Amino acid sequence: MKQIHTEQAPAALGPYSQAIVAGGMVYVSGQLAIVPETGELVQGTITEQTARIAQNLSAILEEAGSGLANVVKSTCFMADLADFAEFNAEYAKHFTSNPARECVQVAALPKAAQLEVSVIATLNEE
C-alpha cells in the first residue's frame, strides 16, 4: 500500500490518508468542498461545492497516477437530497465516464458541509 498526499487538496481532518494506492486501484477518502490554500469550506451553492470537490478529487487522483476519467465508483453523501438535481448536473461535467455510484442523504457532515464524495479509481495504464 502507498499513501498519497498532495498540497493541491485539503489535508486530512483526522487520522487517515487523502488516498491509498493498492492492487492497481486508488481509494480516495471522502472530500469536502474545502479550499486547500485556506482550509475553509466553500460557502456557496451545491453546484459550487460539487465543483470544488471535483477539483480536490482530481488533484489527489493525479498525485496517485490516475484521474477523474479512471473513476469506477463514487459514493456521495448529501445533507439534503432536495439538492440532487443541481448536484447531479455539476457532477456530470466532471465524471464523464459515468462511474457506478450511490448517493445518500445523511444527518450531518463535517464542517456543516452540504456534500462529501469519495471515489475508487484505476491507475493510469503505462
Side-chain angles (χ1 to χ4, degrees):
M1 291 189 328
K2 177 183 174 187
Q3 292 184 3
I4 301 300
H5 175 77
T6 176
E7 297 295 324
Q8 303 305 309
L13 298 176
Y16 58 89
S17 300
Q18 288 174 325
I20 295 288
V21 174
M25 303 295 288
V26 184
Y27 301 87
V28 183
S29 295
Q31 294 297 302
L32 303 174
I34 295 175
V35 178
E37 297 80 11
T38 65
E40 297 298 320
L41 185 73
V42 170
Q43 296 297 321
T45 66
I46 194 73
T47 298
E48 292 166 315
Q49 286 202 9
T50 304
R52 178 74 252 182
I53 288 170
Q55 290 174 342
N56 293 343
L57 290 168
S58 181
I60 294 167
L61 288 167
E62 286 178 22
E63 183 69 22
S66 186
L68 289 177
N70 295 53
V71 172
V72 296
K73 174 82 166 50
S74 68
T75 303
C76 309
F77 303 97
M78 299 184 72
D80 189 351
L81 280 176
D83 294 330
F84 183 78
E86 189 178 342
F87 154 76
N88 207 43
E90 184 66 23
Y91 176 97
K93 295 177 186 177
H94 303 279
F95 294 89
T96 57
S97 63
N98 296 320
R101 175 180 87 179
E102 64 252 341
C103 189
V104 297
Q105 181 171 315
V106 295
L109 290 165
K111 294 190 170 247
Q114 296 173 14
L115 177 67
E116 181 173 352
V117 179
S118 65
V119 299
I120 301 170
T122 59
L123 291 171
N124 290 331
E125 294 183 16
E126 298 183 17

